[in-house]
Amino acid sequence: MEYFALIISAIFVKNILLAQYLGNCPFLGVSRKMDTAIGMGMAVIFVMTLATIITWSLQRYFLEPLNLVYLQTIIFILVIAALVQFVEMFIKKSSHDLYQALGIYLPLITTNCAILGVAIICAREGHTFPQMLVFAVASAVGYSLALILFAGLRERFEISRIPKALSGTAIGLVTAGLMSLAFFSFFGMVA
Amino acid sequence: MIIALILLGALGIIFGVFLAVASKVFYVWEDPKISEVREELAGANCGACGFAGCDAAAVAIASRRAEPDICVAGGQEVAEAVAAVMGLAVGVKEPILAESFCYGGLRARERYRYTGIMDCRAAYQLFHGEKDCEIGCLGFGTCVRSCPFDAITMGKEGFPLFNPEKCRGCGNCEEACPKGIISVISSSTKILRFNQEEDCLAPCRQACPAQIDIPRYIEYIKDGRYEDAIKTLKERNPFILSCGRVCPQPCEDICRRAIKDEPLAINQLKRFVADYEMNTGHHVPVTVAPDTGHKIAVIGGGPAGLSCAYFLRRLGHSVTIFEQNPKLGGMLYYGIPEYRLPKKILDWEIQGILGIGIEAKTEVEFGKDIDLESLIADGYEAVFISVGAWNNTTLRLEGEDTIEGVIGGIEFLGRQGLGLPNPVGERVGVIGGGNTAIDSARTALRLGAKEVTIIYRRTRLEMPANYEEIKAAEAEGINFLFLASPNRLISDENGKLTHLEYLKMELGEPDESGRRRPIPIEGSETILPLDNLIVAIGQYSDFSFIESDEGFKDVALTRYNTIDGDENTGQSNIPYIFVGGDALTGPGLAVEAIGSGRQAARAIHLYVTGQEVTAPPNRLRGFIEGTIFDMPYVVDILERTEPHKRVRHHELEVSERIDSMVEVDQTISEEEAREEASRCLKCGLTCFGTIVYGVEREAKEKRVA
């Protein structure tokens, strides 16, 4: 039950994108087409899980014992950036297909605040390893869900009459705001 | 503080070294050409090349998985620049352009008032759009917005117009159109395409044996875009000068404009643009696909042979025509008299056909100078037989071969074409009711005959000859003797024809051709004095070379004395031998032979490129049901259209023409042509089939404006 609440909370109530406003850049950048939104979503799930595992381990076995928690942010940034770069090189070498599917989105994730945000939340909340894992995956799923829903809406912009002044990113931000309001209705559902 | 600095420095060094090592270990060599190619590509990321964006395309080009000219957005310059990076040369590419088949737009009735999203795809969700026409353009301009190159604009009449200068053939519009009326095709694809059952075809397009896109070229003439009209015509028919003169215009018989007043003078319009091209003195250049290296032999340089060669050449194959006579053109040259189709004009047309790169060898007789074996030895991969039907059907009367003064119609006209002496007496009889009979009679008149009589066993209504030709013959003073069938030839002691004895006939029940069968009246023998008799009652092919040739003797014939070729491909029972024209169908029209030549060109193209030779998919046979309207039923539907009589072409005065072979019919003027073209209703499949104009239309016109 505890994990179920954690999952619902991470996906809907505290959606990393729409409730916590993290990772807005790729949210607007790659949501024009459903295909790219799905690709980006998968890449985020992959990287977020991996990055949170690493940062959680660092926090637990390195920073806390050595009383270096004040270095958390800068070290997490360093680690995540290096990790994503490494992962990109690795899959480019090992699997061409996987690279085509996920690799092209990795540079977008390198400095993504959603990844850092989840890592820091995990550290702050003091999650255990399984909690951390569930929370990271669920947060990434929540991110993908928001991205895919948004892409579905944006595809319809193509065939809609939009006032010229609002077309493009402007209508995207307006829509994102409305989606965010919609997600606020989940608030209070899980404690 | 110091610990933190040391720690961060150490971490930085560790990660730096780690990434450096990793990048060495996981290094993937990338061709420097990729970035060079990437620089040259258009950068539209349109995906029309089939790759996921320009980067992926650049990788594919650099690794030679794709041709340097795959970038459809960039066009020729980009292809050349990319080829230069890759060190390759690029040929002139056949352009691939978008076009729509619907000319209807606002014309179709609205079934309901649509007030939703102004987009075709959205409108299509609701009962396939508000238009009564299931197949036509909805006119919200989704294609216009989908075009990354601004090549599409929405025309006044509510359907999109395509600018070929800007179109790159990326296919976005084709994808965007929910009705599927836009296609992005090359001219090769167009040449290979035959009318299909589900196409939007105006009645004229269904009736044309060559399947010319008639409304399109008429539209071009109306706009003064004569070169485009010529190109449209030549996608289906290379003989526009000739057909503009001799075609019996089955398209006009069925023209929907006749509901209002008179059918459009379609053939006169064709003749006008064809003459326009000739008067410029230059053949309008047509697209020819890059050379494929396949060699094809065409036996017989008539309309079918030349048409087949023409389309094969445009598909990129090399073709050689072998012709027995000194001149190319077949029946158009040797069967159609000078006053209908001047030899000079035909020669100019044939020069244009050969000018796209077709080799022709004349005075080469098949079976004597060449045979199948020698052709195969010379590397020809397929043979097209279009030998025509050059033998006269005989009357089967005694003395037909021996009596002096009796000659077959084809032979008579053929001697004229060859420039041989063709003496005729004062009284000439012509037996038959087809165009050959009329041509023979009018030629005989011009050769000095005083009294020419056409003897036909049925009545004028059943005559297969062109109506215009019958009228012209009458005007020239040619007599018609209907319901008369030759019974006996009477000669003098020198073996010279003096009289023809004929039987009077009456019409009985209709036969399988739908014409009433003539029945002789007993004891009605009548004698007609004649110096010459021209027999023009039919033709058949001479296939003696088939029996004598070793390679050919297995080719199957039908009981109608034609080669037993497939009716959709012309392929005979020997896979590399194809047949077309009269040799396949029996005697027919020039325009049918031209259609048959293109049909064989398609089949041969499939054969030599190693594909399966199949009938064109969903090929339309006959007319699409419900598209040929019952005239009285729809008599008032064109109420908004002003009546406007059909253009009349000019003829030379009878006194001026009967002493010489000068061309009788004159071409209409540019002004007349454009006026006539504007009479075209631009029909689709069912346009004008229902009550069309009403409140909805006016509302829609306002909305679009």
Side-chain angles (χ1 to χ4, degrees):
Chain A
M1 192 56 208
E2 182 208 347
Y3 288 107
F4 179 72
L6 195 60
I7 290 170
I8 296 296
S9 161
I11 294 181
F12 296 107
V13 184
K14 292 182 182 168
N15 186 292
I16 192 93
L17 253 176
L18 296 170
Q20 317 207 38
Y21 317 117
L22 293 173
N24 270 312
C25 173
F27 181 59
L28 289 165
V30 295
S31 58
R32 270 174 211 280
K33 275 187 173 170
M34 191 56 91
D35 296 347
T36 53
I38 292 172
M40 179 69 184
M42 295 305 127
V44 167
I45 293 176
F46 177 70
V47 173
M48 197 178 273
T49 311
L50 202 64
T52 316
I53 292 172
I54 304 264
T55 52
W56 183 87
S57 310
L58 266 177
Q59 171 81 9
R60 178 62 65 87
Y61 300 112
F62 184 68
L63 297 181
E64 280 177 8
L66 294 178
N67 285 327
L68 289 169
V69 180
Y70 62 92
L71 283 176
Q72 189 193 47
T73 310
I74 196 161
I75 286 183
F76 279 10
I77 289 174
L78 193 61
V79 169
I80 292 170
L83 173 76
V84 177
Q85 282 299 311
F86 174 73
V87 168
E88 189 191 351
M89 278 189 270
F90 180 76
I91 63 171
K92 190 174 184 181
K93 179 81 177 180
S94 58
S95 163
H96 181 259
D97 291 341
L98 193 64
Y99 182 73
Q100 285 298 321
L102 300 183
I104 46 177
Y105 303 107
L106 289 176
L108 277 175
I109 303 175
T110 312
T111 51
N112 191 331
C113 54
I115 310 282
L116 183 67
V118 170
I120 289 177
I121 290 168
C122 270
R124 198 176 59 201
E125 301 280 317
H127 284 320
T128 60
F129 186 82
Q131 278 176 332
M132 173 276 296
L133 202 59
V134 167
F135 179 74
V137 173
S139 292
V141 168
Y143 186 98
S144 307
L145 176 78
L147 189 61
I148 288 166
L149 287 176
F150 191 49
L153 287 173
R154 280 193 97 176
E155 278 196 341
R156 302 190 65 154
F157 291 172
E158 297 257 313
I159 59 171
S160 310
R161 276 179 291 178
I162 296 168
K164 217 172 186 109
L166 285 179
S167 64
T169 311
I171 193 78
L173 283 167
V174 170
T175 315
L178 292 172
M179 273 182 78
S180 177
L181 277 177
F183 266 70
F184 266 32
S185 62
F186 292 116
F187 201 74
M189 211 168 85
V190 183
Chain B
M1 178 66 194
I2 293 172
I3 294 174
L5 277 177
I6 293 170
L7 187 69
L8 282 179
L11 272 180
I13 291 167
I14 292 169
F15 283 128
V17 170
F18 172 69
L19 283 179
V21 171
S23 65
K24 180 77 186 165
V25 173
F26 297 113
Y27 173 67
V28 179
W29 184 80
E30 200 174 63
D31 197 330
K33 279 187 175 147
I34 292 177
S35 58
E36 284 178 54
V37 169
R38 179 68 191 80
E39 290 289 300
E40 300 294 348
L41 291 178
N45 271 326
C46 61
C49 54
F51 292 96
C54 295
D55 287 326
V59 173
I61 294 170
S63 60
R64 312 230 165 179
R65 279 184 291 123
E67 295 295 319
D69 58 353
I70 55 162
C71 181
V72 289
Q76 190 67 20
E77 298 107 63
V78 168
E80 276 165 17
V82 173
V85 170
M86 297 298 297
L88 296 171
V90 59
V92 178
K93 211 169 113 186
E94 242 190 318
I96 302 174
L97 298 174
E99 60 180 46
S100 142
F101 67 66
C102 182
Y103 311 92
L106 299 179
R107 188 188 301 139
R109 190 175 64 148
E110 287 185 357
R111 287 182 295 190
Y112 54 87
R113 175 66 70 81
Y114 177 77
T115 52
I117 296 172
M118 298 293 273
D119 184 271
C120 303
R121 288 173 294 190
Y124 186 75
Q125 301 304 316
L126 205 58
F127 305 110
H128 291 190
E130 81 282 22
K131 293 283 172 63
D132 205 20
C133 176
E134 274 293 314
I135 50 170
C137 179
L138 292 173
F140 292 109
T142 298
C143 48
V144 176
R145 290 191 290 277
S146 76
C147 181
F149 307 105
D150 289 330
I152 311 176
T153 48
M154 188 49 79
K156 278 203 299 286
E157 289 164 90
F159 59 90
L161 302 174
F162 297 84
N163 183 347
E165 306 285 316
K166 287 184 180 173
C167 179
R168 302 291 201 185
C170 68
N172 283 3
C173 48
E174 188 178 10
E175 220 167 272
C177 180
K179 287 277 194 167
I181 62 169
I182 301 175
S183 44
V184 179
I185 48 176
S186 67
S187 25
S188 289
T189 321
K190 276 192 222 168
I191 287 169
L192 293 171
R193 197 176 195 284
F194 280 77
N195 285 352
Q196 296 182 358
E197 282 161 1
E198 67 275 14
D199 286 353
C200 176
L201 299 169
C204 48
R205 291 186 68 185
Q206 299 179 42
C208 179
Q211 306 193 348
I212 297 170
D213 191 346
I214 292 167
R216 190 182 296 275
Y217 85 74
I218 291 179
E219 176 81 4
Y220 285 144
I221 293 175
K222 193 185 88 186
D223 297 342
R225 293 166 63 182
Y226 303 131
E227 286 211 0
D228 289 325
I230 290 162
K231 285 177 186 164
T232 305
L233 279 159
K234 289 191 173 181
E235 266 158 23
R236 288 289 178 270
N237 184 348
F239 285 100
I240 55 174
L241 278 166
S242 308
C243 279
R245 286 169 165 75
V246 305
C247 189
Q249 359 117 1
C251 49
E252 294 179 22
D253 297 344
I254 209 156
C255 177
R256 227 171 256 170
R257 177 80 201 201
I259 298 169
K260 186 70 191 180
D261 34 46
E262 289 180 298
L264 219 73
I266 298 172
N267 207 36
Q268 291 300 328
L269 290 174
K270 184 196 298 132
R271 177 172 168 160
F272 161 73
V273 272
D275 279 27
Y276 171 86
E277 182 191 16
M278 185 172 65
N279 293 336
T280 63
H282 300 284
H283 296 283
V284 171
V286 293
T287 54
V288 174
D291 276 329
T292 59
H294 296 291
K295 274 177 84 179
I296 293 125
V298 171
I299 315 288
L306 279 164
S307 147
C308 181
Y310 176 80
F311 291 115
L312 281 171
R313 179 67 206 126
R314 287 189 67 178
L315 293 167
H317 308 297
S318 9
V319 191
T320 311
I321 300 174
F322 300 95
E323 167 61 47
Q324 180 177 359
N325 286 310
K327 285 287 197 176
L328 289 172
M331 279 294 174
L332 290 176
Y333 194 94
Y334 294 102
I336 301 215
E338 173 82 17
Y339 66 84
R340 276 180 76 197
L341 174 58
K343 305 286 182 250
K344 214 175 76 191
I345 291 177
L346 180 63
D347 280 342
W348 194 83
E349 179 140 283
I350 292 173
Q351 280 317 309
I353 293 172
L354 298 181
I356 64 168
I358 297 167
E359 199 186 344
K361 294 181 175 165
T362 52
E363 295 184 270
V364 178
E365 199 177 331
F366 196 81
K368 208 185 273 174
D369 306 310
I370 51 165
D371 57 21
L372 197 59
E373 212 172 283
S374 73
L375 287 179
I376 292 168
D378 284 345
Y380 291 100
E381 293 164 61
V383 179
F384 177 64
I385 300 177
S386 51
V387 295
W390 288 72
N391 286 13
N392 284 291
T393 310
T394 59
L395 293 166
R396 278 181 267 178
L397 294 180
E398 201 185 324
E400 200 175 334
D401 302 332
T402 50
I403 294 174
E404 195 186 323
V406 182
I407 187 169
I410 297 299
E411 196 188 339
F412 177 72
L413 294 172
R415 288 178 71 83
Q416 202 58 34
L418 286 165
L420 298 175
N422 225 358
V424 292
E426 294 218 331
R427 291 163 304 181
V428 177
V430 180
I431 297 177
N435 280 324
T436 310
I438 307 268
D439 288 346
S440 303
R442 293 178 73 186
T443 303
L445 194 73
R446 284 163 172 75
L447 290 174
K450 291 279 172 292
E451 201 182 324
V452 181
T453 311
I454 290 176
I455 301 148
Y456 183 50
R457 60 198 178 120
R458 301 185 219 224
T459 67
R460 178 199 297 270
L461 278 180
E462 285 86 15
M463 281 182 84
N466 300 2
Y467 176 67
E468 306 267 321
E469 291 296 305
I470 300 172
K471 263 198 339 195
E474 255 178 350
E476 288 169 12
I478 287 167
N479 304 319
F480 286 82
L481 183 56
F482 293 111
L483 292 167
S485 173
N487 193 40
R488 193 158 61 93
L489 301 171
I490 304 166
S491 56
D492 61 15
E493 62 277 13
N494 301 326
K496 200 169 171 338
L497 183 77
T498 58
H499 294 86
L500 170 76
E501 184 188 280
Y502 65 91
L503 279 174
K504 291 184 180 165
M505 315 289 276
E506 59 185 1
L507 290 180
E509 290 302 304
D511 62 7
E512 66 264 26
S513 72
R515 297 183 297 179
R516 293 175 67 189
R517 187 190 302 275
I519 303 162
I521 303 169
E522 294 268 340
S524 63
E525 288 89 346
T526 315
I527 282 180
L528 181 73
L530 287 180
D531 300 316
N532 288 88
L533 183 66
I534 300 169
V535 182
I537 57 167
Q539 295 147 247
Y540 62 94
S541 301
D542 173 15
F543 291 128
S544 57
F545 68 90
I546 283 194
E547 280 117 56
S548 58
D549 191 284
E550 198 51 38
F552 260 131
K553 68 177 189 315
D554 295 329
V555 173
L557 300 181
T558 64
R559 64 195 174 95
Y560 307 105
N561 193 48
T562 56
I563 293 180
D564 191 8
D566 186 280
E567 60 164 352
N568 283 312
T569 62
Q571 195 175 30
S572 74
N573 58 330
I574 296 175
Y576 56 86
I577 296 177
F578 294 80
V579 61
D582 289 356
L584 173 71
T585 58
L589 304 173
V591 67
E592 288 170 347
I594 289 160
S596 161
R598 188 169 68 90
Q599 165 184 297
R602 174 187 170 275
I604 293 171
H605 172 79
L606 293 177
Y607 177 77
V608 296
T609 53
Q611 302 170 65
E612 199 187 340
V613 181
T614 51
N618 300 335
R619 183 170 187 180
L620 177 68
R621 290 280 178 193
F623 293 102
I624 301 171
E625 203 180 322
T627 61
I628 309 302
F629 299 148
D630 201 6
M631 298 297 178
Y633 166 69
V634 287
V635 80
D636 289 328
I637 60 165
L638 296 170
E639 64 207 11
R640 276 238 208 137
T641 312
E642 286 295 314
H644 192 302
K645 288 282 180 195
R646 167 191 167 98
V647 69
R648 308 273 167 220
H649 67 268
H650 315 286
E651 289 181 12
L652 284 188
E653 286 300 316
V654 172
S655 54
E656 284 176 55
R657 72 197 197 202
I658 56 169
D659 298 326
S660 72
M661 284 290 178
V662 293
E663 189 170 17
V664 172
D665 293 342
Q666 305 297 305
T667 310
I668 56 175
S669 69
E670 180 167 355
E671 204 173 290
E672 286 171 320
R674 293 186 65 166
E675 197 175 316
E676 183 68 12
S678 64
R679 287 181 69 228
C680 179
L681 299 170
K682 292 182 284 180
C683 312
L685 204 49
T686 57
C687 294
F688 307 110
T690 47
I691 309 302
V692 177
Y693 299 114
V695 196
E696 308 102 323
R697 184 193 152 100
E698 273 163 337
K700 186 66 188 277
E701 274 172 350
K702 278 195 201 119
R703 231 191 314 159
V704 170

